Amino acid sequence: MSEETAKDTHAAARHERFGALPGRIRFEDMTTEAEVDPGGTGAAAYDPENSWKFYSCVALDLGL
């Protein structure tokens, strides 16, 4: 068996096992547009009761 035939055989076996790579994804398909609240009210308002969920400080976590 020649080297070229062996490469073709191995390539065919890889293609049969793994198939083809997925197609490219366009940039437009990866981004979305969403309406925002220009006044900063509503969901973006500060809520002191739930602020601990989004704040992380190692010194505070260790009690320093």
Side-chain angles (χ1 to χ4, degrees):
M1 187 182 262
S2 70
E3 188 174 317
E4 280 187 33
T5 308
K7 286 182 182 179
D8 291 341
T9 305
H10 293 304
R14 278 194 308 274
H15 191 313
E16 182 179 327
R17 181 175 178 190
F18 299 111
L21 293 175
R24 287 189 156 264
I25 300 173
R26 297 182 315 155
F27 180 75
E28 294 82 18
D29 295 337
M30 293 188 283
T31 57
T32 59
E33 293 183 11
E35 294 287 328
V36 295
D37 189 15
T41 60
Y46 175 70
D47 184 13
E49 293 289 327
N50 292 325
S51 66
W52 63 273
K53 294 179 184 177
F54 307 105
Y55 181 74
S56 178
C57 178
V58 175
L60 290 177
D61 290 342
L62 296 175
L64 300 176

